[in-house]
Amino acid sequence: MIRVLFADKPENWGRYETPLTEAIAATGVEAQIVQPDESDPAQIDYVVYSPQGPVQDFTAYTGAKAVLNLWAGVERVVGNDTLTQPLCRMVDAGLERGMVEYVTGHVLRYHLGIDATLAQQDGVWRHDDGVPPLARDRSVVMLGLGALGKACAEALAGPGFAVTGWSRTRKDIPGITCLSGDDGLAEALSRAEILVSILPDTPETTNLLNADTLAQMPKGARLVNPGRGTLIDDDALLAALDRGQIGHATLDVFRVEPLPPEHPYWAHPQVTVTPHIAAESRAETASEVIAENIRRGEAGEPFLYLVDRSRGY
Ligand SMILES: NC(=O)c1ccc[n+]([C@@H]2O[C@H](COP(=O)([O-])OP(=O)(O)OC[C@H]3O[C@@H](n4cnc5c(N)ncnc54)[C@H](OP(=O)(O)O)[C@@H]3O)[C@@H](O)[C@H]2O)c1
């Protein structure tokens, strides 16, 4: 019998109790799921972890075979000096679907000009604006082609958007123009009528969208950021919005969350703020991923979604 510590926020246990218990049982591994304070840390075999949970010091978990993050992003744990165990991040079908729906929805909103339509319910019949572009005439760029970025890129290719993706290592995804490296970034930015950033927060991605890179995008480009707030130099984005270089931004993630009420993004007419709701792990599907990694750990098989701590994601 192994011991699995559930170290998410205590209020989330109600959502996880049944699916996690059932998912682990379905793997054939005999496990007792315990809460913090219910067991000697040294006796814990796996820590189901969340950055919002009570366990942020792993020193006492001397027998733990892995720390299994319930979040896709690992920036709040990857640099934790007390973490000596393997760290796995969450790649969850429910999370992925949520991100695909968020990104597709906001890209279509920009593509169809829905904001302008809603603002023009004023009795004027505007039917002389020319033929609107089809998705295939619209260039959408995805920064990040990982579990989430790739799924979003493929979803956008569905209705025919001309999708370009950029990642650290070059990918080969049917229907997507894949770029990498500094030259690739310049090329991607230059074609980004709509830019979606789904990169992790690492030292290399911090302020990737800055005055210089925002200036490389077509004038009036739209930006959707469900990745991390640190990807954007906020002052540079506000300046680019004010001079029309960036036409509009939809931002889901911020350097400080909750976004403080006095932050200029809230009042900016060209910014839509969403409160970090693009995608959440779903207990049913996330439990299956956790259970599969526990099964792998017990069988001596390699873990899924192992974080490369030197890379930071
Ligand atoms: N807003 C929300 O609700 C929400 C929810 C979940 C996740 N997220 C965010 O989404 C991020 C991505 O998740 P994921 O599961 O798709 O991660 P992932 O599978 O690790 O993919 C990360 C992608 O970013 C690329 N990348 C990393 N560093 C780079 C660099 N310096 N230059 C160019 N490309 C780089 C990677 O390139 P390679 O493929 O070459 O490695 C990969 O394509 C998470 O880290 C998290 O911050 C947000």
Side-chain angles (χ1 to χ4, degrees), residues 126-186:
R126 297 175 177 85
H127 193 243
D128 52 1
D129 291 347
V131 179
L134 292 171
R136 68 181 182 215
D137 305 316
R138 186 80 71 189
S139 174
V140 181
V141 168
M142 195 69 54
L143 299 183
L145 286 173
L148 300 176
K150 176 173 180 281
C152 293
E154 290 174 333
L156 290 168
F161 284 109
V163 184
T164 300
W166 179 76
S167 51
R168 191 178 53 82
T169 56
R170 186 73 165 259
K171 301 285 180 283
D172 183 8
I173 307 171
I176 312 296
T177 303
C178 294
L179 303 170
S180 62
D182 290 346
D183 291 351
L185 179 61

Side-chain angles (χ1 to χ4, degrees), residues 72-75 89-91 95 99 144-149 166-169 171 198-202 204-205 226-228 252-253 276-280 311 313:
V74 295
E75 70 278 359
R89 65 197 191 84
M90 180 51 63
V91 175
L95 183 82
M99 187 61 85
L145 286 173
L148 300 176
W166 179 76
S167 51
R168 191 178 53 82
T169 56
K171 301 285 180 283
I198 315 189
L199 292 161
D201 172 7
T202 72
E204 285 72 38
T205 63
R228 280 293 181 262
D252 186 55
V253 282
H276 202 144
I277 43 85
E280 277 201 39
R311 240 174 30 185
Y313 68 97

Side-chain angles (χ1 to χ4, degrees), residues 106-122:
H106 285 286
V107 168
L108 279 169
R109 165 187 160 216
Y110 283 143
H111 170 62
L112 297 173
I114 288 175
D115 290 9
T117 306
L118 294 176
Q120 289 173 354
Q121 300 301 297
D122 53 4

Side-chain angles (χ1 to χ4, degrees), residues 72 95 189 222 248 275 278 281:
L95 183 82
L189 292 169
R222 315 295 168 82
H248 200 279
S281 301

Side-chain angles (χ1 to χ4, degrees), residues 19-301:
L20 188 58
T21 305
E22 290 180 356
I24 296 175
T27 67
V29 173
E30 280 190 51
Q32 181 191 10
I33 307 176
V34 297
Q35 309 292 317
D37 305 331
E38 279 183 6
S39 182
D40 173 4
Q43 303 299 317
I44 296 296
D45 294 280
Y46 297 91
V47 179
V48 178
Y49 165 82
S50 147
Q52 299 175 321
V55 175
Q56 303 299 331
D57 184 338
F58 301 96
T59 313
Y61 294 87
T62 49
K65 297 162 201 165
V67 172
L68 307 172
N69 195 2
L70 288 167
W71 288 23
V74 295
E75 70 278 359
R76 282 162 69 175
V77 62
V78 75
N80 187 326
D81 290 337
T82 68
L83 180 67
T84 52
Q85 302 84 349
L87 171 67
C88 301
R89 65 197 191 84
M90 180 51 63
V91 175
D92 157 38
L95 183 82
E96 179 197 296
R97 284 299 94 192
M99 187 61 85
V100 164
E101 291 175 18
Y102 180 93
V103 167
T104 309
H106 285 286
V107 168
L108 279 169
R109 165 187 160 216
Y110 283 143
H111 170 62
L112 297 173
I114 288 175
D115 290 9
T117 306
L118 294 176
Q120 289 173 354
Q121 300 301 297
D122 53 4
V124 180
W125 187 262
R126 297 175 177 85
H127 193 243
D128 52 1
D129 291 347
V131 179
L134 292 171
R136 68 181 182 215
D137 305 316
R138 186 80 71 189
S139 174
V140 181
V141 168
M142 195 69 54
L143 299 183
L145 286 173
L148 300 176
K150 176 173 180 281
C152 293
E154 290 174 333
L156 290 168
F161 284 109
V163 184
T164 300
W166 179 76
S167 51
R168 191 178 53 82
T169 56
R170 186 73 165 259
K171 301 285 180 283
D172 183 8
I173 307 171
I176 312 296
T177 303
C178 294
L179 303 170
S180 62
D182 290 346
D183 291 351
L185 179 61
E187 173 69 28
L189 292 169
S190 73
R191 26 170 113 170
E193 284 179 79
I194 302 173
L195 184 84
V196 182
S197 46
I198 315 189
L199 292 161
D201 172 7
T202 72
E204 285 72 38
T205 63
T206 300
N207 290 331
L208 186 83
L209 296 174
N210 53 44
D212 176 38
T213 49
L214 292 170
Q216 295 176 45
M217 293 166 64
K219 191 162 176 68
R222 315 295 168 82
L223 169 64
V224 182
N225 181 27
R228 280 293 181 262
T230 50
L231 304 178
I232 297 177
D233 175 334
D234 294 320
D235 290 339
L237 176 57
L238 287 163
L241 286 160
D242 286 343
R243 62 173 193 279
Q245 169 58 21
I246 300 298
H248 200 279
T250 295
L251 309 174
D252 186 55
V253 282
F254 305 90
R255 282 188 150 74
V256 177
E257 294 183 6
L259 185 67
E262 64 280 8
H263 196 285
Y265 282 148
W266 281 115
H268 201 290
Q270 264 73 50
V271 175
T272 298
V273 170
T274 58
H276 202 144
I277 43 85
E280 277 201 39
S281 301
R282 264 67 178 176
E284 283 70 22
T285 41
S287 293
E288 288 172 11
V289 177
I290 298 289
E292 171 59 11
N293 259 337
I294 290 173
R295 186 200 68 73
R296 285 170 169 256
E298 292 309 290
E301 296 174 19

